[in-house]
Amino acid sequence: MPSSTKKSKGNSTTRENADPLQMESLSSSEEDQQHDEMHSDGNNNDKKPSSKKSKKKSKSVTMDEPNSDTPKLGDVEVGTSDSNSNNHSEGETRELVVEHDGHGDTVQPRWRTKKTLLSAALTVIVIVVIVVVVAVVTGNNASSSSSSATSGATESEPYVWTPGTFGPEYYEVVDKLSPLFPLNQKNIPTSKLQEDALLWLTYEDPSPDTPSLSPQLLLERFVMAVLYNATDGSAWLDKDMWLTETSICEWGTSPSEATAEYHVKMMCDNTTGFLEELVVSTKASSTMHGVLPTELGLMTNLKILSISNSPELTGTIPTQLGNLKQLNQLVLQANGLSGSIPRHITSYNRLTLFNVAMNQKLSGTIPSRLENLLNLEVLWLNDNAFEGTIPSELSTLIGLYELWLHNNDLVGTLPESIYQDLTMAYSIRVDGNSIEDCPTDIPAVIC
């Protein structure tokens, strides 16, 4: 028939210029086409035969004529076919890919669909998006960790010292200081503050006498460097003498510059050179920031420790201050301290003045162990958040003449023994609490 003759002729023309492997692929394609037509006829065998050919056509696969030269490795020939057979979904377009291996032979041809290409492209896009998201999240976490590490003197994670490229002089300083530390802290440094102070002592301290200092004098210089860093010394109003080549005894404010609002007093023993008085009183515009470092407990020669009027000096009262057995006065007034009174502080048998007033956040109960402070003359605990009852043991402090407990959360009564036995007391304040049956007829008592 004319239609069959034309189709056969077209196929003959294609075969003349195709490779044997291409011929095989085309033959296979024609067989599939004939199979599809037979299958179609079989499904419609109960219908009335028609003299006209079925309008359903299968587009034959066409291939570009290969070059006469030997194909090179990676050369690809692509043909397309509209597939309406039962083996492929409607509207799907397939491509016949023939690759050459560079020796004149063709690699096994394969079919690929545009759906496959689209799926691969989508997979690549998803991978790229995931990589970008992970990179952004990781960067944000790193930035958050960095800002947290530099936000204050305290560290949220335990400090782990990583040895650097330090010379023998660094380890000489460490070996000199270690015996003066408590047994559980001899493997210094144990904090970033200690590490910075050690590096300053070793490499930046401008004093030519530092290497020859006795262990105790070197320790005091080390602790003052820690205090400077822990309380943001760079923001102090009077910091010019700190971390200079002079003795720490000269780091304080000169008498001519000291005022009632701001001064730093550092007094040393004339014979030993050990620091005995450290007094820091600031005004609002130049307050300390940060925390009280635990290393202050290493200053065992201190007799007066007074740091006051710094609302941004936070944290707790270091328990290590209990090591200061020679302390006569401990003043930590009007700061931003919180927590309770450390029990070790009650072992100060030389203490005459204990003032932690106006911190607002100091809490817990008033320790009955304060009765051990037999030489105490002034006890100021006012304007905090102490709770519970007033311990009757305070009546044993026979030398006490000022007892200020006002503006707390105390309850109960004022023990009679306190205002009867404290014969030297001329000021006992318990107002601003929930005290019952407070005697109003005793001049020394303010209810």
Side-chain angles (χ1 to χ4, degrees):
M1 291 188 300
S3 177
S4 300
T5 304
K6 184 178 181 179
K7 180 177 181 180
S8 176
K9 184 177 180 180
N11 289 339
S12 175
T13 303
T14 303
R15 293 171 183 267
E16 289 177 2
N17 296 310
D19 289 343
L21 190 56
Q22 296 172 343
M23 293 284 291
E24 180 179 351
S25 299
L26 291 174
S27 299
S28 175
S29 177
E30 292 176 4
E31 292 175 3
D32 290 343
Q33 178 180 339
Q34 293 176 2
H35 177 272
D36 293 344
E37 291 177 351
M38 292 176 63
H39 183 71
S40 176
D41 292 342
N43 292 338
N44 300 314
N45 56 4
D46 55 341
K47 295 181 181 180
K48 185 177 181 179
S50 174
S51 59
K52 296 182 180 180
K53 286 290 181 180
S54 174
K55 293 183 180 181
K56 181 178 179 180
K57 295 181 181 180
S58 178
K59 185 177 179 180
S60 61
V61 177
T62 59
M63 303 295 297
D64 294 336
E65 292 186 0
N67 297 331
S68 58
D69 298 334
T70 302
K72 298 180 181 179
L73 178 63
D75 284 353
V76 177
E77 298 180 9
V78 180
T80 61
S81 174
D82 292 335
S83 177
N84 293 321
S85 67
N86 294 337
N87 295 331
H88 303 283
S89 61
E90 183 177 357
E92 184 181 74
T93 302
R94 298 192 301 167
E95 295 177 329
L96 178 62
V97 180
V98 181
E99 296 182 359
H100 299 277
D101 60 3
H103 300 287
D105 298 325
T106 57
V107 181
Q108 179 66 36
R110 66 180 186 276
W111 290 97
R112 69 183 181 190
T113 66
K114 289 188 177 180
K115 283 189 175 181
T116 302
L117 296 176
L118 180 60
S119 175
L122 291 175
T123 301
V124 172
I125 293 174
V126 170
I127 293 174
V128 171
V129 170
I130 292 175
V131 170
V132 171
V133 170
V134 170
V136 171
V137 172
T138 303
N140 289 339
N141 290 340
S143 176
S144 176
S145 299
S146 177
S147 61
S148 298
T150 58
S151 61
T154 58
E155 299 172 4
S156 58
E157 297 182 359
Y159 169 80
V160 178
W161 181 63
T162 303
T165 309
F166 304 133
E169 61 273 15
Y170 174 86
Y171 296 101
E172 288 177 5
V173 172
V174 172
D175 293 340
K176 199 179 225 183
L177 294 177
S178 293
L180 302 179
F181 278 72
L183 290 176
N184 62 337
Q185 297 182 20
K186 288 189 180 299
N187 294 324
I188 58 174
T190 59
S191 69
K192 185 65 167 59
L193 290 172
Q194 289 187 4
E195 179 182 320
D196 290 343
L198 286 170
L199 291 174
W200 176 79
L201 277 176
T202 306
Y203 300 110
E204 299 178 30
D205 188 350
S207 174
D209 300 327
T210 297
S212 60
L213 290 176
S214 67
Q216 182 61 37
L217 290 177
L218 184 65
L219 177 68
E220 293 184 355
R221 199 170 180 85
F222 164 79
V223 173
M224 290 299 97
V226 170
L227 175 64
Y228 182 87
N229 292 328
T231 57
D232 194 15
S234 61
W236 293 357
L237 180 64
D238 185 8
K239 60 178 183 297
D240 294 341
M241 296 301 295
W242 283 75
L243 305 186
T244 64
E245 71 280 359
T246 61
S247 165
I248 63 172
C249 303
E250 301 178 28
W251 286 5
T253 308
S254 63
S256 60
E257 297 178 353
T259 65
E261 293 182 322
Y262 182 89
H263 68 276
V264 178
K265 181 181 179 182
M266 304 179 74
M267 298 292 294
C268 297
D269 182 89
N270 293 330
T271 303
T272 63
F274 298 155
L275 186 65
E276 293 184 340
E277 296 184 24
L278 173 60
V279 179
V280 182
S281 179
T282 65
K283 58 184 179 181
S285 62
S286 58
T287 59
M288 287 182 165
H289 302 74
V291 299
L292 286 174
T294 60
E295 288 78 8
L296 285 174
L298 298 171
M299 305 290 288
T300 55
N301 294 295
L302 275 180
K303 295 180 180 179
I304 297 178
L305 175 59
S306 177
I307 300 176
S308 58
N309 301 320
S310 292
E312 295 187 36
L313 185 63
T314 59
T316 60
I317 301 174
T319 59
Q320 290 81 356
L321 296 186
N323 297 326
L324 307 181
K325 304 299 183 182
Q326 299 190 47
L327 209 60
N328 293 327
Q329 298 180 18
L330 177 58
V331 178
L332 300 173
Q333 173 181 304
N335 298 306
L337 302 177
S338 59
S340 59
I341 298 175
R343 62 184 303 271
H344 298 292
I345 289 181
T346 60
S347 62
Y348 293 150
N349 54 14
R350 298 186 180 185
L351 200 64
T352 60
L353 170 61
F354 183 36
N355 177 6
V356 292
M358 302 172 65
N359 277 279
Q360 308 299 332
K361 298 179 181 178
L362 286 175
S363 59
T365 59
I366 297 176
S368 60
R369 289 174 58 89
L370 289 175
E371 65 176 340
N372 296 328
L373 305 178
L374 297 178
N375 293 304
L376 199 61
E377 298 176 350
V378 177
L379 177 59
W380 289 359
L381 307 179
N382 55 285
D383 294 280
N384 281 295
F386 291 113
E387 56 188 8
T389 60
I390 300 173
S392 60
E393 289 83 355
L394 296 180
S395 62
T396 62
L397 303 176
I398 58 176
L400 197 66
Y401 57 81
E402 281 190 357
L403 175 60
W404 288 4
L405 306 177
H406 54 284
N407 297 331
N408 279 288
D409 297 321
L410 301 173
V411 296
T413 62
L414 175 64
E416 183 177 341
S417 59
I418 289 181
Y419 55 84
Q420 286 185 350
D421 297 344
L422 299 181
T423 58
M424 296 185 63
Y426 63 81
S427 179
I428 300 175
R429 295 191 59 180
V430 294
D431 52 305
N433 293 290
S434 299
I435 302 300
E436 302 174 355
D437 301 326
C438 183
T440 58
D441 56 341
I442 299 178
V445 178
I446 299 177
C447 298

